[in-house]
Amino acid sequence: MNAAMTFNRSKLLPPVSMRGSVSRDHLLRSLDEQTHARVVLLLAPAGYGKTTLMSQWMQRLDAAGERTSWLTLDATDNDPVRLVHYLYGALREWMQWVSGGVAEAPPVQADWMSLLERVDHGAPRLTLFLDELEKLTDPAALLVARMLVSRLPRSIRLVIGSRDKPALGLERFRVRGELIELTVGSLRFSADETRRFLGERFTRPLAGWLIDKVQSMTDGWPAALQLTALATRSEQDLERYAVDLSDGLGNIADYLAEDVLQAQPAELRAFLLETCGLPRLGAAVCDAATGRHDSARLLQTLERHGLFTSAIDASHSWFRYHPLFAEFLRDQQAAQLPRERVEAIHRSAAGWFSRQGAAMDAVDLWLLAGDSEAAIAEMARCAPELVIQAQFGTILRWIQRLDAAVLAAAGPELPLAAAWACGFAGDLDTAWRWVAVLEPKLEANPAQRTLHDRLVALEAVLMAFSGQTRAALQLGLTHWERVGGDHDFTAGALANVISYCLIEQGDFERAQRFCSIARSCNEQVGSALGLGYALTISGSIEAVQGRLDRAIEVFAEVDRVVSLKLREPWFETTHVKLASIGLVASVLYEQDRLDETDELLQRYFPLLIRQPSVDLQLLNHVVRSRVRAAQGDTAGALQTLDQAIHAAGGARFDSVRRLLDWERVRIELLAGRREQALAFADVLAGREPSDGEAARWLYVEELYGADLQALRCRIVRGNAAAALVQIDGLAAQAQAAGRRWRLLKLRLLRTLALDAQGQRPKALAELAGALSLGHQINARRSFADEGPPLDALLAELPQPLLAAQRDGEALLRYWRALRGEFSPPPLPDGGERVVLSERERSILRLLATGLGNEPIAAQLFLSVNTVKWHIRRILEKLKARNRSEAVFIARQGDLL
């Protein structure tokens, strides 16, 4: 594993309490007693003892035999990929411990967050401590944190320490009385705690008035009390401070901190000022930074005397200064040390961290040293691996801290990584600007062939993302002969693009061949994202050909294969499979698995908004809208389309809006608003681009495109004859290319067109053929989405016509299921009965009364997502397609 992604395990350990810390007994007892709380929020500025209290509570829980876990957040966690890794790292051990209750993964797209939702409410409790949450500022990272909070099982209690109010959606816990908030008023020391704190530092008991005066002066602010104790050498000093200091708390803290600093021996004072800018303190790095040879002794002295220094590992090898004290020291450093000396310290420390492979720390220190050249060199060394690991947020955070002119004058490695990062962050315009800058530089330099090849692969990727699939394919094939033999990241990326674009041409055999190459290349270099795309494209090839069940199996491989091939013990795969979510959702929707589709899109949608591929982005929106419509929420379906249009932007806006507007026409038609829908269709028809001008979408246009909606409008208008001519041509193309899913949709339109012409027998014969095809590919929603006209034809279809076809009995069962007429499935071999757990029986009984997910969840004290998962399991066990069918089968089998 490259050092850029080295897992810093010290983040998973609470800082060791500083010497002299007062046990917050009354707060700890209160927290222990409030067992109803699912979230505890410690919200206060620096110095109020949030970390100390959290650490004390964790030790108390550990001593009582309870499970706990800790994660300290920092600025690097604003890369959502890194954040998800560390969150998983914090929870992994507990999840493995309770895995007996969640051993079976959901049928598709399992991840650790969805597994969290399935942990039984009776599982042993875990208290997860998240400290310094204010360090999360990136919107995508905050979305990840919100996703975690929304999926917490009742067996996990979350404790958050933050200086700022976190935007994590905690209101629902407050409304239910499950949130405890400890703010400044709760965290300040009481008079008794102040008395105990000072009593441990003076040999004689202090006068009550003096303690009261100190309490009043500091307002119980723990940091100010600590500084007061450190600054006083005698009871007389304490009296003087108590009488003289009456300014605001901020001034008191600075005054006391200065006295504390000046009271230290010269060597210790110098050491504090020299090392306060380091991200973490160890003997070796402090020696390297300062030129000393006794840093280990000084660090031990600081910890022993409680000088705002605490260990961050069990062996006491690494330390940190309290953030408030470190901030004061940095101000003093700037005032007392020459700038050249400070920069030299940071430069030496950066070099040490760089040699240890700690690139994140090194980059920050190079920048503090004012050495942009060294920082860029450090970034450039890591950049290729960061791209492979999909840590695009880290790359973007780096380049935002660099002057544009300095970056432009640097070598090509970092700008090239920036182009990849922008492209996969959805900012295609900026990515193309980087390409324009790099192309002439790299093309003219034969020594940079490897980088030029990677740039070409990126160009092909950006073209494919933008829907320019023919240009992308041509570029990819032109360079493949030279690039393909290297079997590296570039070859893997280019093979993915080529396979994706070959789908449009119907060359599925060659597309799968390139998928296999992409998979092999990405496994070899350890690119989880590239491997995820290879499997996603392979699944889409299966889906386009109508092998929907096989497509689901391939999509499910994303988890399994990435885990087997690439996983370190802490590795997490959520970011790997974002490309496949819309594709999985489209197949689940077609199979009428609406709950699973809805849950999948809801679970990932906050992250899907940054999907760089127009094809896949549109797919997410269209399927989400269709689920709403299928649930009877026409207004919600239209609102989803409006939100998608609002989110679209840039050069792709017109093409995106075109498809979404035609989807609106379909919904309006199904809702019975015929005139309104057709009037809007006329407007859209006038905007249609001439052939060759429209961007081409591989998947979403094929299944939900404007041509299908326009044909539907022609039939509704009474222009069935013209529609038939066009349908026959498109159906012949789909048949010849083996695009059976699209062919099914065209055959259903042909059925409606024939019926509109008064050719009912031909329409029924066509429908029988469509049923046979639908049964073969296991499709359902294509029939339901045509609405009442097709429902009427299905009802009229003569059963002998179906029974006479090949697999007639199976086809009849399929036809009945489409019409809502259910019959119990045959028992398994040996006459085994379906076994439902008591929880599943409880949910099934409530389903039979017509209750929805939320009322069931409320009655059974489960989360809505847990109810959805149990319903999925019930449907699988009963081989039912929906809830009504499950209830019917259960009644027939005496399971209720």
Side-chain angles (χ1 to χ4, degrees):
M1 178 62 63
N2 183 279
M5 194 55 195
T6 299
F7 195 57
N8 182 3
R9 297 186 181 277
S10 69
K11 286 163 61 71
L12 301 179
L13 299 172
V16 178
S17 297
M18 289 189 296
R19 177 182 171 273
S21 296
V22 172
S23 177
R24 310 300 305 273
D25 294 333
H26 72 289
L27 289 176
L28 293 170
R29 282 195 300 270
S30 176
L31 290 171
D32 284 340
E33 291 167 358
Q34 299 186 67
T35 56
H36 65 281
R38 297 184 59 199
V39 178
V40 178
L41 174 62
L42 286 71
L43 182 62
Y48 275 91
K50 300 184 296 296
T51 301
T52 299
L53 178 59
M54 291 166 67
S55 179
Q56 289 179 0
W57 195 21
M58 183 172 177
Q59 292 173 19
R60 189 180 178 105
L61 293 172
D62 288 342
E66 294 199 28
R67 293 263 173 171
T68 61
S69 186
W70 182 281
L71 174 60
T72 300
L73 298 162
D74 57 43
T76 64
D77 296 317
N78 280 293
D79 186 326
V81 174
R82 292 183 71 87
L83 176 60
V84 172
H85 287 331
Y86 278 108
L87 288 172
Y88 175 69
L91 291 168
R92 183 177 63 91
E93 183 177 338
W94 178 81
M95 291 182 65
Q96 290 177 344
W97 189 58
V98 300
S99 61
V102 294
E104 295 182 65
V108 288
Q109 293 299 314
D111 60 63
W112 65 271
M113 284 194 184
S114 66
L115 293 179
L116 274 180
E117 296 170 341
R118 299 168 48 214
V119 173
D120 188 81
H121 71 282
R125 185 168 62 183
L126 170 76
T127 302
L128 171 62
F129 295 85
L130 294 182
D131 197 18
E132 300 190 30
L133 191 77
E134 74 276 357
K135 297 294 178 63
L136 295 187
T137 56
D138 180 79
L142 286 169
L143 283 173
V144 170
R146 285 180 67 95
M147 289 172 64
L148 171 67
V149 170
S150 69
R151 286 157 176 76
L152 283 178
R154 300 195 69 85
S155 48
I156 291 185
R157 174 173 51 191
L158 183 62
V159 183
I160 299 170
S162 179
R163 298 189 195 184
D164 305 318
K165 187 175 182 179
L168 297 182
L170 301 181
E171 290 75 17
R172 64 190 179 95
F173 295 101
R174 181 183 292 109
V175 169
R176 296 199 297 247
E178 297 175 337
L179 173 66
I180 296 175
E181 294 180 88
L182 300 180
T183 56
V184 168
S186 305
L187 293 170
R188 60 168 56 104
F189 272 21
S190 66
D192 179 64
E193 287 174 321
T194 299
R195 183 177 296 106
R196 285 194 288 124
F197 176 79
L198 294 174
E200 293 178 1
R201 286 155 179 77
F202 294 92
T203 56
R204 292 188 304 169
L206 298 173
W209 74 267
L210 184 55
I211 292 174
D212 292 341
K213 183 64 178 178
V214 173
Q215 174 74 4
S216 175
M217 176 190 76
T218 61
D219 197 25
W221 186 15
L225 282 165
Q226 174 79 354
L227 286 165
T228 301
L230 289 170
T232 54
R233 301 174 184 82
S234 66
E235 187 175 341
Q236 288 70 31
D237 285 342
L238 185 61
E239 291 182 15
R240 177 172 59 81
Y241 281 125
V243 172
D244 291 348
L245 294 179
S246 58
D247 286 343
L249 285 177
N251 292 332
I252 290 174
D254 286 345
Y255 182 89
L256 290 170
E258 186 170 354
D259 266 21
V260 170
L261 183 62
Q262 295 306 317
Q264 306 311 314
E267 65 168 359
L268 205 58
R269 188 165 64 247
F271 183 78
L272 286 167
L273 292 178
E274 289 173 339
T275 58
C276 61
L278 305 188
R280 45 200 167 105
L281 307 166
V285 67
C286 289
D287 281 346
T290 63
R292 313 179 68 94
H293 301 286
D294 59 351
S295 296
R297 176 179 63 83
L298 294 175
L299 286 168
Q300 291 168 5
T301 299
L302 289 171
E303 184 190 23
R304 186 168 61 253
H305 289 280
L307 276 167
F308 286 89
T309 305
S310 56
I312 58 175
D313 66 344
S315 63
H316 289 236
S317 300
W318 286 97
F319 301 84
R320 73 168 187 171
Y321 297 134
H322 187 284
L324 189 71
F325 193 49
E327 185 178 337
F328 165 79
L329 288 174
R330 286 192 290 270
D331 289 340
Q332 294 297 307
Q333 182 191 67
Q336 298 186 34
L337 296 185
R339 178 179 174 182
E340 295 77 11
R341 172 61 178 157
V342 175
E343 290 180 349
I345 291 169
H346 290 154
R347 190 176 296 110
S348 298
W352 187 91
F353 277 115
S354 179
R355 291 190 294 276
Q356 306 308 309
M360 301 299 169
D361 293 323
V363 166
D364 288 339
L365 287 164
W366 288 126
L367 292 173
L368 284 174
D371 195 338
S372 296
E373 184 177 340
I376 290 174
E378 187 77 44
M379 296 174 189
R381 280 193 291 273
C382 299
E385 186 66 23
L386 289 175
V387 170
I388 291 173
Q389 295 171 6
Q391 290 191 62
F392 302 121
T394 297
I395 297 170
L396 294 174
R397 186 174 69 92
W398 280 352
I399 64 174
Q400 287 165 2
R401 301 171 66 188
L402 295 172
D403 181 84
V406 173
L407 184 57
E413 291 88 352
L414 187 56
L416 179 55
W420 279 91
C422 290
F424 277 86
D427 187 359
L428 302 191
D429 293 338
T430 302
W432 277 118
R433 285 197 292 272
W434 280 117
V435 169
V437 170
L438 289 167
E439 179 68 38
K441 294 181 180 179
L442 295 178
E443 191 173 26
N445 188 352
Q448 302 280 11
R449 198 205 79 176
T450 299
L451 292 179
H452 183 257
D453 288 343
R454 187 169 288 200
L455 180 66
V456 169
L458 174 60
E459 289 183 69
V461 168
L462 296 177
M463 289 175 181
F465 280 166
S466 302
Q468 304 170 44
T469 52
R470 291 181 179 175
L473 179 60
Q474 182 178 355
L475 181 64
L477 291 175
T478 299
H479 288 80
W480 179 252
E481 186 174 347
R482 188 180 78 248
V483 171
D486 292 338
H487 221 67
D488 57 5
F489 172 79
T490 301
L494 209 56
N496 267 334
V497 172
I498 292 171
S499 62
Y500 178 74
C501 297
L502 283 171
I503 301 174
E504 181 186 352
Q505 296 189 352
D507 194 344
F508 301 128
E509 182 179 350
R510 194 156 60 131
Q512 285 287 25
R513 204 159 56 239
F514 273 101
C515 266
S516 297
I517 296 172
R519 179 169 170 171
S520 174
C521 291
N522 285 297
E523 285 178 1
Q524 182 167 313
V525 301
S527 174
L529 187 65
L531 180 55
Y533 267 99
L535 290 166
T536 295
I537 295 167
S538 179
S540 69
I541 294 170
E542 300 289 352
V544 165
Q545 295 178 90
R547 293 194 284 269
L548 302 187
D549 292 332
R550 173 58 186 154
I552 288 292
E553 293 173 5
V554 174
F555 292 139
E557 281 189 67
V558 174
D559 277 302
R560 185 181 62 81
V561 174
V562 170
S563 298
L564 288 175
K565 299 290 183 181
L566 304 175
R567 179 169 292 188
E568 295 291 326
W570 48 270
F571 194 83
E572 200 285 329
T573 62
T574 296
H575 71 290
V576 174
K577 54 199 176 190
L578 289 181
S580 67
I581 299 304
L583 293 159
V584 175
S586 68
V587 176
L588 292 176
Y589 175 79
E590 179 61 65
Q591 295 185 336
D592 204 26
R593 296 158 71 174
L594 295 183
D595 281 344
E596 289 181 71
T597 311
D598 192 23
E599 180 185 346
L600 183 67
L601 290 174
Q602 284 193 42
R603 187 192 315 157
Y604 288 102
F605 202 77
L607 298 179
L608 294 175
I609 58 176
R610 300 180 70 174
Q611 168 61 253
S613 166
V614 182
D615 187 22
L616 300 178
Q617 181 71 269
L618 278 170
L619 193 60
N620 296 324
H621 291 301
V622 171
V623 175
R624 198 164 183 243
S625 174
R626 291 211 172 191
V627 169
R628 296 285 176 271
Q631 292 170 337
D633 184 6
T634 300
L638 294 173
Q639 184 182 25
T640 298
L641 296 179
D642 288 337
Q643 292 169 348
I645 290 172
H646 180 73
R652 304 176 292 174
F653 176 76
D654 289 341
S655 297
V656 169
R657 178 157 191 167
R658 168 178 172 267
L659 184 136
L660 295 173
D661 279 343
W662 276 109
E663 183 67 16
R664 177 184 293 276
V665 169
R666 188 194 75 85
I667 293 173
E668 298 281 11
L669 281 175
L670 283 176
R673 297 192 280 266
R674 180 179 182 277
E675 297 305 321
Q676 182 177 335
L678 294 179
F680 190 31
D682 287 338
V683 173
L684 297 179
R687 297 180 192 161
E688 283 294 294
S690 59
D691 288 345
E693 291 182 10
R696 303 182 63 85
W697 318 115
L698 289 175
Y699 195 91
V700 70
E701 279 280 3
E702 172 154 324
L703 301 175
Y704 312 108
D707 59 344
L708 298 177
Q709 317 307 346
L711 285 168
R712 187 171 289 107
C713 288
R714 280 192 174 186
I715 296 169
V716 171
R717 288 180 192 278
N719 299 331
L724 271 173
V725 173
Q726 188 176 357
I727 290 170
D728 287 343
L730 294 174
Q733 293 173 9
Q735 177 80 46
R739 311 176 95 89
R740 295 196 299 163
W741 195 356
R742 177 172 169 84
L743 178 61
L744 172 63
K745 294 178 179 293
L746 289 166
R747 294 197 68 171
L748 292 175
L749 287 174
R750 191 171 194 277
T751 298
L752 294 174
L754 289 168
D755 188 57
Q757 283 189 314
Q759 302 185 57
R760 180 63 58 88
K762 287 187 177 180
L764 293 175
E766 183 68 26
L767 180 55
L771 275 168
S772 179
L773 176 58
H775 178 247
Q776 292 172 33
I777 71 176
N778 195 15
R780 291 172 183 266
R781 287 306 311 181
S782 288
F783 292 87
D785 284 353
E786 294 301 336
L790 195 68
D791 285 343
L793 290 171
L794 279 170
E796 192 177 331
L797 199 62
Q799 294 190 37
L801 184 62
L802 297 176
Q805 297 198 42
R806 187 177 179 181
D807 297 327
E809 283 302 315
L811 194 55
L812 279 169
R813 286 195 298 270
Y814 175 69
W815 169 69
R816 293 189 185 105
L818 288 177
R819 296 185 59 212
E821 299 177 6
F822 314 120
S823 56
L827 291 173
D829 292 342
E832 296 178 13
R833 290 182 57 81
V834 175
V835 177
L836 298 178
S837 69
E838 187 54 42
R839 172 70 72 199
E840 289 166 343
R841 287 176 181 273
S842 298
I843 291 175
L844 195 54
R845 281 192 287 269
L846 292 173
L847 284 177
T849 67
L851 287 182
N853 293 336
E854 291 190 5
I856 292 174
Q859 287 204 30
L860 298 178
F861 301 101
L862 300 172
S863 73
V864 173
N865 285 318
T866 300
V867 170
K868 289 181 178 179
W869 179 79
H870 280 299
I871 291 173
R872 278 208 312 270
R873 295 289 295 143
I874 292 168
L875 297 183
E876 289 174 10
K877 287 183 176 182
L878 298 179
K879 297 183 173 61
R881 304 305 309 188
N882 52 48
R883 299 163 187 235
S884 300
E885 185 174 346
V887 171
F888 177 85
I889 294 170
R891 283 177 174 154
Q892 294 292 315
D894 294 325
L895 296 173
L896 283 177

